[in-house]
Amino acid sequence: MSTPVHTSDSPRVAGRDAARALMRVGCTLPATAATRESLRALLGEPIDWVWLLARGATHHVLPMLQHALTELPTSDVDAVPRDVVRALAFASVEAKAAAQRHMSLLASLLGALRESGVEALVVKGLALAALYPAPELRPAGDIDLLVSEQDWPVVARTFDQLGLPLRPMVVMAPGLSPGQIVHMASYVAQVAYESPCGTPVEVHFRLFNIGVPLRCEDIWERVRSEHIGELVVPTMSREDAVVYHAMHANKHQFSRLIWFVDFRLMLSIGADGLDWDRIVRRADDLRVSRSLAYMVELTQDLFGTIDNVPIASDLAPSGRRAWGCFRRRWRKEAIFDFDIDDSAGLGQWYYLREVASWRNRAAYLIRRTWPPRWCLGPESRWSYLCRRMADSSPRLARLFGLKPTDKAFRREV
């Protein structure tokens, strides 16, 4: 793979451009003879190693860079400063230890939920580790589980028995009891817990909940199993994963390199088995076709053409692209701008401008400015009353994007 490196009169700029190219080539999995040759050539360039270590940690790719360097001859790696080699080795050891903690915790959680009669799917970062040569090459900051909303009371009791406390900074109304949290769950779409090993655990009730909450019950019809190391975990189908992760990256304005590595592996490993007709229908139903087209186009800009993948322009719906397309993440030389971070304030509205109807945009603004969203916070009792008020009226529930809690669900609490 040829690697264009932007040259400049400024050594600092040239060093950062070479570092950008090194990060991109080092994250190309599976590695080929061409990528190794490009990596060897880049190691001869002046590289801003301090910048690379800082941004590599932000983008969660340091273990992959360490893995890529270990596949090169020792004579080539000698060009890397010793302190950088030690930093990369330390990041790799830390990632391996974290992966082992995650696997142990995940096995106990899935076992406890299974004994309670609850089916849970592993989603997002940890589920994607199955695509990598080793789980530690795909660092995950937390464990994400998807459960059916009607199973939430059982999940809450099970986690309470396991001694997992709710995370006060994430739970929208920290003063509520577990029973009251149940009634908040269908609004916040997820609840987070702390674990004894320090790994956060997020329990999701919906995945497609950006701006406007969309239900995902049909995901359960296409469950598959993945091997992560020695652990077998249930997760969503490959087609659902492609659509979801494209939408998730768009939500966060394509701000992490690791997401593009994930997406490339999703498209390239077993690409012949992907049902693109189903992917396109799913994206159309969720109004995220443009997100899918963006993700396919940008991934191939970074890592090259992927076989058996439709042309991005064929995936995008007709019509003008929204303002701020791609969040200006690509420079003129097609080098990914690793310095731009996610802007949470603009991200949701940007997503809505890309994919949502005006009706959904108006509903989103209402839920951002009216109760119960406005009340979620220290006024926990008032938050709970707002949630129950919305529960009592189908019209209010629809206004706030809620599904009214049925009587059997309330008795379970």
Side-chain angles (χ1 to χ4, degrees), residues 66 125 163 181 183 238 262 327 353 396 399:
Q66 164 70 7
I181 289 287
H183 291 284
R238 290 192 185 276
D262 295 337
R327 307 302 299 175
R353 289 200 57 156
L396 285 174
L399 176 64

Side-chain angles (χ1 to χ4, degrees), residues 152 156 160 166 171 173-184 193 380-381 384 413:
W152 165 233
D160 185 58
L166 291 163
V171 176
L176 297 181
S177 69
Q180 292 167 334
I181 289 287
V182 169
H183 291 284
M184 300 295 295
Y193 287 86
S380 57
R381 290 288 171 180
Y384 172 64
V413 182

Side-chain angles (χ1 to χ4, degrees), residues 198-244:
T199 301
V201 180
E202 290 191 358
V203 181
H204 299 260
F205 317 108
R206 304 183 188 94
L207 288 179
F208 304 98
N209 63 321
I210 301 174
V212 288
L214 302 172
R215 312 194 70 81
C216 58
E217 284 88 347
D218 57 336
I219 282 183
W220 299 93
E221 301 172 5
R222 297 181 294 274
V223 175
R224 65 186 175 88
S225 297
E226 283 282 12
H227 290 261
I228 307 177
E230 299 180 354
L231 187 63
V232 180
V233 300
T235 187
M236 69 179 89
S237 70
R238 290 192 185 276
E239 288 77 14
D240 287 326
V242 166
V243 175
Y244 170 68

Side-chain angles (χ1 to χ4, degrees), residues 42 85 89 115 170 176 180 189 195 237 242 263 285-286 333 363 401:
L42 285 168
V85 173
E115 290 179 1
V170 177
L176 297 181
Q180 292 167 334
S195 68
S237 70
V242 166
F263 205 72
D285 291 342
L286 295 171
E333 299 83 4

Side-chain angles (χ1 to χ4, degrees), residues 232-293:
V232 180
V233 300
T235 187
M236 69 179 89
S237 70
R238 290 192 185 276
E239 288 77 14
D240 287 326
V242 166
V243 175
Y244 170 68
H245 287 284
M247 183 201 67
H248 180 262
N250 193 350
K251 171 194 174 185
H252 293 288
Q253 304 161 48
F254 309 108
S255 56
R256 291 291 177 267
L257 177 61
I258 190 70
W259 297 336
F260 291 98
V261 182
D262 295 337
F263 205 72
R264 180 178 185 272
L265 292 175
M266 277 190 278
L267 298 184
S268 60
I269 296 180
D272 292 335
L274 287 176
D275 186 342
W276 277 99
D277 289 337
R278 176 179 289 176
I279 291 174
V280 171
R281 288 197 305 271
R282 180 68 164 159
D284 287 342
D285 291 342
L286 295 171
R287 299 182 61 87
V288 295
S289 298
R290 201 176 299 281
S291 297
L292 176 63

